[in-house]
Amino acid sequence: MPVREGLALYEAAAAAGALGLPLLEVGTYCGRSTILLAEAARESGTVAVTVDHHRGSEEQQAGWEYHDPTVVDPEVGRMDTLPTFRRTLHAAGLEDHVIAVVGRSPQVARVWGGQLGFVFIDGGHTDEHAAADYEGWAPKLAEGGTLAIHDVFPDPVDEFTGQAPYRIYLRALESGAFTEVSATDSLRVLRRTSAAL
């Protein structure tokens, strides 16, 4: 996450913290954005929840541009970012302000029972994954809550990296339930202004 986007994410999460509801992110990876949400949660007296299966997104698999072989578990031969994520939280001193849920986003969303003040979608970049994240978590966002979507690239040249997030961003606006608050590079921040979704 670039610095400008990270600062915008933090500001949006800090403002959403005023609702007193959990701040949730989909897509933990190694925890860079989690520490921003955790700090916002700490300051507002709530908690950050981060959901990830820790096996990496499509573009992080072997042979792809964003693959990092240092996070491959040599015993099972698959990516495992959970140990790196835990070290990141520990180094930041924010472990007490984060609930890490290891699982697939749609499965976790199905069993999640409460409302959220903030949802940050930064998971897989296929239409299937982005749509499932939006469909699973947007309805759980309280009215007045904030929906942030990362890697929104309107240009079709970015089909693999940002068109699916762009499509769920458009879907949120077209639903009439969300109003855009800000756009910082590839980060879009929306506020839920209607209960109808």
Side-chain angles (χ1 to χ4, degrees):
M1 166 147 312
V3 172
R4 275 174 41 89
E5 293 177 349
L7 291 172
L9 178 68
Y10 168 77
E11 289 172 10
L19 293 174
L21 295 168
L23 314 176
L24 181 132
E25 84 173 329
V26 176
T28 313
Y29 192 55
C30 294
R32 181 180 289 179
S33 57
T34 310
I35 60 174
L36 298 170
L37 299 187
E39 181 59 24
R42 184 191 67 77
E43 290 174 357
S44 59
T46 188
V47 66
V49 178
T50 186
V51 179
D52 199 312
H53 50 67
H54 288 279
R55 295 296 189 197
S57 297
E58 307 81 23
E59 73 277 7
Q60 296 162 340
Q61 302 306 315
W64 289 89
E65 181 180 358
Y66 296 104
H67 180 65
D68 180 355
T70 67
V71 294
V72 173
D73 181 333
E75 191 168 316
V76 299
R78 293 184 68 196
M79 289 185 65
D80 186 359
T81 57
L82 184 58
T84 305
F85 163 67
R86 294 200 62 179
R87 287 190 292 274
T88 299
L89 271 189
H90 175 76
L94 291 166
E95 290 176 293
D96 292 343
H97 304 283
V98 175
I99 297 171
V101 180
V102 179
R104 298 200 173 275
S105 169
Q107 293 171 309
V108 177
R110 278 194 294 275
V111 300
W112 185 270
Q115 286 193 312
L116 298 162
F118 184 87
V119 171
F120 175 44
I121 298 177
D122 192 21
H125 290 111
T126 64
D127 281 310
E128 174 190 4
H129 292 135
D133 292 340
Y134 175 76
E135 291 164 8
W137 295 106
K140 298 175 187 316
L141 193 58
E143 196 167 343
T146 301
L147 173 65
I149 305 170
H150 193 226
D151 296 325
V152 173
F153 295 106
D155 190 332
V157 74
D158 297 307
E159 175 60 35
F160 186 71
T161 56
Q163 284 287 281
Y166 175 62
R167 285 189 277 273
I168 64 167
Y169 156 75
L170 291 178
R171 186 173 167 188
L173 289 176
E174 290 163 2
S175 74
F178 293 94
T179 302
E180 187 164 3
V181 174
S182 68
T184 304
D185 301 328
S186 77
L187 179 72
R188 299 298 184 273
V189 176
L190 311 171
R191 179 149 302 115
R192 185 161 187 185
T193 52
S194 168
L197 183 58

